[in-house]
Amino acid sequence: MTLALKTETPPPAPAKPRQVTQSHRFDAELVAVTKRYGPGAPAVDNISLRIPRGSYCCLLGPSGCGKSTTLRMLAGHEEVSDGAILIHDQEITHAPPVARGTSMMFQDYALFPHLSALDNVAFSLKVQGVARGERRARAKEYLELVQMDHLAERLPSQMSGGQQQRVALARSLITRPKVLLLDEPLSALDPFLRIRMRAELKRIQKELGISFIHVTHSQDEALALADLVVVMNNAVIMQAGAAREVYETPSNAFVARFLGGHNVVQRAGGGEASVRADQCVIGARPGLRSLPGTVSMIEYQGTAVRVSVTGTDGEELTALMPTGAFFNDALELGQSVRLSWDPADEHPLG
Amino acid sequence: MSTRKRPLSFYLLAGLTTVFLVYVYAPMACLYILSFQGPEGGMSFPMVGWSTHWFQTLFSGEGQGLGDVPGAFQRSIRLAACTAVLTLVISVTAGLAYRRKFPGSGAVFYAAIASMVLPGIFVGFGIALMFNLLGWQVNWFTSGIGAQLTWTLPFGLLIMFIVLGRFRSSYEEAAVDLGASASQRFRWVILPIILPGVIGIAMAGLTSSYEETARTSLNVGMGNTMPMEVMGLLNAAATPVLFAIGTLTTLISFSLIILSLVVMTQLAKRRSMRTNA
């Protein structure tokens, strides 16, 4: 069984899945939200965030940074200790999950193992007492949206991870959420499928016009998908902004390091700055700043070569060199080199 | 691929296992064979002809060494059925309560489990004594079922913990997310997923009630249960009817186990049948 994706034309969206609401400014808003599990450091510490209408928002950070807890508070599966949560400008801080207009897609998909794909998708309609014929017809529409209608009668155990995920997505979308919450939705897939599914998620989000809030620890995923990247660490938001803005102008050393592809260096005038690794070269050049070190790792990456240099203080610096430039003057491990960059490329960190 | 030589310990342990299995099953095999003893035969080998005489004696309900077996059987089944149903209902509901911690949950858990290690005879004696002190009559329906529950409930509860331990909490969260009420979650999500374990609890309740004597004997009131009746027959003039009882009991137990396995596989089959349409 292969995952045949019909890529020609996207299937027609189910009739009016978009939520028709009076004009609201933000799809979701967190106001000074805190989550404490007990005495000691809070899991989420006084975070505020506004997610504009129809955004693809990624909560990005290392494990334990509070991103999943934040998502679960939005979903109503976790009590908020302090602060308020708004969906479509309505306060829903303590509302039960079903009354919030959110729907959550779980990391393990949580498809009911005893129900077929169709019955899983139809579950929320069954709960509302929709008649069998109608709920099956509507569930079928949503299975078509995720291109799973041909496997409608399969049990979760008879589907691959990618197929289960599509069904889980349909099961969430059939509730017509105002905001869809996705908890590391791609982490259980193999790398090839992950890239395909993320394109699919983006397509569906655009098609429905609702906001998706997607928790991930993958920088690539966040940069590829998000209109709004929210980088979290240690229970707080380190930076929130458009993908390009966050990547090119990280506001602190954590964001620069976590997003990868950056070196954090000391500025001539004091303070720290980030320099993108692809703007660094090996070898001293006139007019460039440089640091001495030894080559500690060389990784061939197809389009570029990644050279890691361990500086005199043990700090790790990286130059991402075009393949041609690297092989003109190949380096060896342990070689003493200088890593250089143009001071104009330095981006000061706060 | 070269076959790896097994170490000596493998053969020693395999031998030990064989000895153990023979020790368990050989006496039972003797019993089954002896139940087909001829009408003139006695309680031991040699076989004096083959017959189903002792089974006929058992079913006719008349003859030497029979005592009140049919009555005892009826009482035991009645008791076991009630105990199994109560064990099932109480274990499942108590297990569900343990999905979340509550004040004193640890203490209640240990108190419930500790009754597994209490000496059964004294538990039974204590219950009978208490009934006596309160001036109540011991009766199978009250003290009898109560005494048996002290034995079957801890097992039911433990099975339920294992079952729920394997139940992913995200199933229930997903059901909440999709708007299911508590009773809808139980009927449509939790129960179908844990059903095999629930059947297991009922079976465990049934069989452990049927063969329990230590707690039961002083508390059932009038009339013996099966194990008590068999004990009595062993002490009195014994005939191969006893073996016939043993053979039948084994047959019934195995039938029950096979039946519940069939039910469980049928449930699984029906699911996949439905999905291959």
Side-chain angles (χ1 to χ4, degrees):
Chain A
M1 172 68 233
T2 55
L3 248 182
L5 295 188
K6 300 175 242 159
T7 40
E8 316 86 288
T9 47
K16 294 201 195 88
R18 185 194 295 262
Q19 290 288 324
V20 185
T21 51
Q22 61 286 55
S23 70
H24 56 273
R25 289 168 303 160
F26 301 106
D27 273 352
E29 193 172 350
L30 299 170
V31 185
V33 169
T34 295
K35 174 68 189 180
R36 278 181 224 95
Y37 284 109
V44 172
D45 192 3
N46 194 26
I47 66 169
S48 294
L49 179 68
R50 287 169 161 181
I51 298 170
R53 301 174 66 148
S55 310
Y56 204 115
C57 170
C58 281
L59 301 182
L60 174 68
S63 26
C65 72
K67 59 190 191 299
S68 281
T69 308
T70 304
L71 193 79
R72 291 176 56 80
M73 285 192 289
L74 276 157
H77 294 307
E78 208 77 68
E79 275 292 316
V80 176
S81 309
D82 251 317
I85 299 179
L86 290 80
I87 300 284
H88 282 203
D89 294 352
Q90 301 282 311
E91 212 228 285
I92 46 90
T93 315
H94 300 290
V98 67
R100 296 174 167 234
T102 59
S103 184
M104 177 139 165
M105 221 178 97
F106 292 83
Q107 189 175 3
D108 59 6
Y109 315 135
L111 290 178
F112 305 130
H114 58 295
L115 298 179
S116 67
L118 193 69
D119 288 336
N120 261 287
V121 176
F123 187 86
S124 61
L125 302 177
K126 183 178 181 183
V127 160
Q128 294 160 24
V130 175
R132 184 183 151 88
E134 193 196 335
R135 68 175 187 249
R136 287 179 74 88
R138 272 169 62 190
K140 196 106 188 167
E141 282 175 32
Y142 278 86
L143 280 177
E144 276 164 25
L145 174 72
V146 296
Q147 295 155 344
M148 280 294 294
D149 43 316
H150 60 302
L151 298 178
E153 297 302 329
R154 289 263 177 111
L155 284 182
S157 59
Q158 299 165 324
M159 293 185 271
S160 71
Q163 293 168 339
Q164 289 185 35
Q165 175 164 52
R166 285 159 184 274
V167 174
L169 184 61
R171 186 178 68 173
S172 283
L173 291 176
I174 202 170
T175 64
R176 304 233 192 138
K178 295 168 180 157
V179 175
L180 182 70
L181 308 169
L182 306 102
D183 190 6
E184 308 227 8
L186 305 176
S187 61
L189 304 179
D190 65 68
F192 179 69
L193 206 53
R194 199 175 299 161
I195 289 172
R196 251 198 339 205
M197 270 312 293
R198 86 180 180 206
E200 191 91 345
L201 286 176
K202 185 85 176 175
R203 168 182 76 79
I204 291 171
Q205 187 262 332
K206 283 273 166 290
E207 222 168 274
L208 300 182
I210 63 174
S211 280
F212 279 25
I213 303 177
H214 172 139
V215 160
T216 179
H217 55 249
S218 155
Q219 302 86 337
D220 294 347
E221 209 168 289
L223 294 176
L225 281 170
D227 304 313
L228 175 62
V229 176
V230 179
V231 185
M232 292 184 69
N233 189 41
N234 282 334
V236 297
I237 293 176
M238 301 303 288
Q239 188 175 1
R244 188 164 172 219
E245 176 194 327
V246 172
Y247 188 77
E248 297 204 345
T249 56
S251 59
N252 52 64
F254 174 82
V255 173
R257 289 204 177 93
F258 188 76
L259 288 177
H262 287 270
N263 291 309
V264 176
V265 297
Q266 296 299 319
R267 295 176 72 196
E272 286 180 321
S274 66
V275 187
R276 273 169 41 191
D278 59 342
Q279 291 170 331
C280 293
V281 292
I282 299 294
R285 310 267 166 86
L288 299 190
R289 283 193 63 201
S290 70
L291 281 172
T294 55
V295 176
S296 56
M297 191 177 68
I298 299 172
E299 267 183 8
Y300 176 67
Q301 299 186 329
T303 53
V305 178
R306 191 183 149 94
V307 181
S308 298
V309 173
T310 306
T312 42
D313 298 332
E315 78 274 21
E316 190 83 355
L317 300 163
T318 307
L320 200 62
M321 300 171 69
T323 321
F326 176 84
F327 286 106
N328 281 341
D329 187 13
L331 297 162
E332 279 173 33
L333 283 179
Q335 195 175 332
S336 293
V337 291
R338 292 192 80 84
L339 183 130
S340 315
W341 64 92
D342 188 337
D345 291 331
E346 285 179 13
H347 166 73
L349 298 171
Chain B
M1 209 179 87
S2 66
T3 46
R4 224 173 339 149
K5 208 167 163 262
R6 293 189 186 277
L8 181 63
S9 58
F10 171 82
Y11 294 100
L12 286 175
L13 291 172
L16 199 63
T17 309
T18 310
V19 169
F20 173 73
L21 289 176
V22 168
Y23 185 81
V24 172
Y25 288 105
M28 294 302 289
C30 290
L31 192 149
Y32 303 144
I33 295 168
L34 281 171
S35 67
F36 293 96
Q37 182 72 282
E40 306 304 318
M43 292 288 283
S44 61
F45 289 108
M47 298 290 286
V48 185
W50 295 79
S51 76
T52 53
H53 174 80
W54 303 105
F55 289 94
Q56 287 166 13
T57 310
L58 181 61
F59 285 118
S60 70
E62 286 161 22
Q64 197 211 345
L66 190 57
D68 181 26
V69 167
F73 179 74
Q74 203 198 356
R75 280 188 287 275
S76 271
I77 287 295
R78 187 176 61 183
L79 186 61
C82 293
T83 307
V85 169
L86 283 173
T87 305
L88 177 108
V89 172
I90 299 172
S91 301
V92 169
T93 44
L96 289 176
Y98 270 89
R99 285 172 302 165
R100 282 196 208 95
K101 280 225 174 302
F102 53 87
S105 58
V108 174
F109 171 72
Y110 289 117
I113 297 307
S115 74
M116 282 168 86
V117 296
L118 293 179
I121 290 191
F122 292 101
V123 172
F125 182 64
I127 294 171
L129 190 66
M130 193 190 73
F131 266 68
N132 193 17
L133 288 175
L134 294 170
W136 297 343
Q137 193 78 114
V138 288
N139 180 301
W140 75 272
F141 193 70
T142 54
S143 53
I145 289 178
Q148 291 214 319
L149 285 177
T150 64
W151 179 234
T152 59
L153 269 185
F155 286 104
L157 204 56
L158 274 186
I159 298 174
M160 193 61 194
F161 281 139
I162 294 166
V163 168
L164 284 175
R166 279 192 273 159
F167 182 86
R168 279 190 266 160
S169 59
S170 59
Y171 290 144
E172 204 183 350
E173 278 180 350
V176 171
D177 217 68
L178 296 168
S181 68
S183 77
Q184 288 171 330
R185 294 201 295 274
F186 180 73
R187 277 181 293 148
W188 294 339
V189 176
I190 300 174
L191 190 59
I193 294 176
I194 67 170
L195 193 60
V198 171
I199 294 175
I201 291 173
M203 294 303 296
L206 199 71
T207 50
S208 47
S209 158
Y210 184 78
E211 64 188 15
E212 215 288 328
T213 49
R215 294 163 179 77
T216 315
S217 56
L218 286 172
N219 290 300
V220 280
M222 304 292 285
N224 282 344
T225 59
M226 268 307 265
M228 292 159 69
E229 190 66 25
V230 170
M231 276 304 216
L233 288 180
L234 271 175
N235 293 333
T239 67
V241 165
L242 270 181
F243 300 141
I245 295 171
T247 305
L248 270 183
T249 309
T250 311
L251 215 61
I252 293 171
S253 305
F254 271 103
S255 309
L256 274 177
I257 290 169
I258 290 168
L259 183 76
S260 52
L261 283 178
V262 167
V263 168
M264 280 187 230
T265 47
Q266 280 300 315
L267 280 175
K269 216 181 199 168
R270 221 178 54 194
R271 279 175 202 168
S272 55
M273 286 285 284
R274 204 181 50 200
T275 56
N276 286 333

